[in-house]
Amino acid sequence: FTNEKFYHYMQHSASMTGETGYSPRKLSVLKAYENILPYYEKYNPENLSIIRKNYLKIAINVKGRMLLNKTDDIKVLEMLESIIESYYKLVIKDNNIKLTTKLNIFITNKFPGLILSIKQKILKLRRG
């Protein structure tokens, strides 16, 4: 144990995680997960649940951002729907994922735009 500070985290409102709207840059996170999924399937299957869950949550989040911003890129929406369709049942049936997380995924998947707008309002209130 040490009291030393080894990491400094700064979030800018213009950063990819700080943006509240949709940007094609958000898709780069999905691409990163696509690249690491095969690694976890082959070398680290005990943690595959976490990767699948995160991949699904990001796809649902990006879809919600697109709906909120009325972005009608059909190809991207179809890709997101494909990811959601492929991973939704795997994640919901996975015993390694908490029930509260599954409930969050279920509700966010049913109402992605609404849930994302509520979460954004909460974050704005927290930031002051």
Side-chain angles (χ1 to χ4, degrees), residues 48-61:
L48 188 57
S49 297
I50 297 166
I51 302 303
R52 286 177 176 163
K53 174 199 66 164
N54 290 344
Y55 188 47
L56 174 64
K57 287 176 72 174
I58 293 164
I60 292 169
N61 182 282

Side-chain angles (χ1 to χ4, degrees), residues 4 17-19 35-36 52-53 61 73 76 91 111 118:
E4 293 294 318
T17 56
E19 292 173 351
N35 290 329
I36 64 172
R52 286 177 176 163
K53 174 199 66 164
N61 182 282
D73 187 329
V76 173
V91 170
F111 310 102
I118 291 169

Side-chain angles (χ1 to χ4, degrees), residues 11 53 58 70 82 86-87 98 113:
Q11 184 171 344
K53 174 199 66 164
I58 293 164
K70 297 176 177 62
S82 176
S86 297
Y87 286 87
K98 292 190 267 182

Side-chain angles (χ1 to χ4, degrees), residues 42-107:
K42 186 172 183 178
Y43 299 110
N44 198 351
E46 61 274 7
N47 290 314
L48 188 57
S49 297
I50 297 166
I51 302 303
R52 286 177 176 163
K53 174 199 66 164
N54 290 344
Y55 188 47
L56 174 64
K57 287 176 72 174
I58 293 164
I60 292 169
N61 182 282
V62 172
K63 177 184 170 187
R65 289 170 185 266
M66 289 183 76
L67 294 174
L68 268 180
N69 291 281
K70 297 176 177 62
T71 305
D72 58 352
D73 187 329
I74 301 302
K75 281 188 170 187
V76 173
L77 283 170
E78 286 175 351
M79 178 200 62
L80 294 170
E81 287 295 337
S82 176
I83 293 168
I84 294 166
E85 186 178 319
S86 297
Y87 286 87
Y88 184 80
K89 286 182 183 175
L90 285 172
V91 170
I92 295 298
K93 291 181 179 181
D94 193 323
N95 292 329
N96 296 313
I97 298 174
K98 292 190 267 182
L99 183 60
T100 53
T101 301
K102 292 178 185 181
L103 184 60
N104 181 333
I105 290 168
F106 172 78
I107 293 169

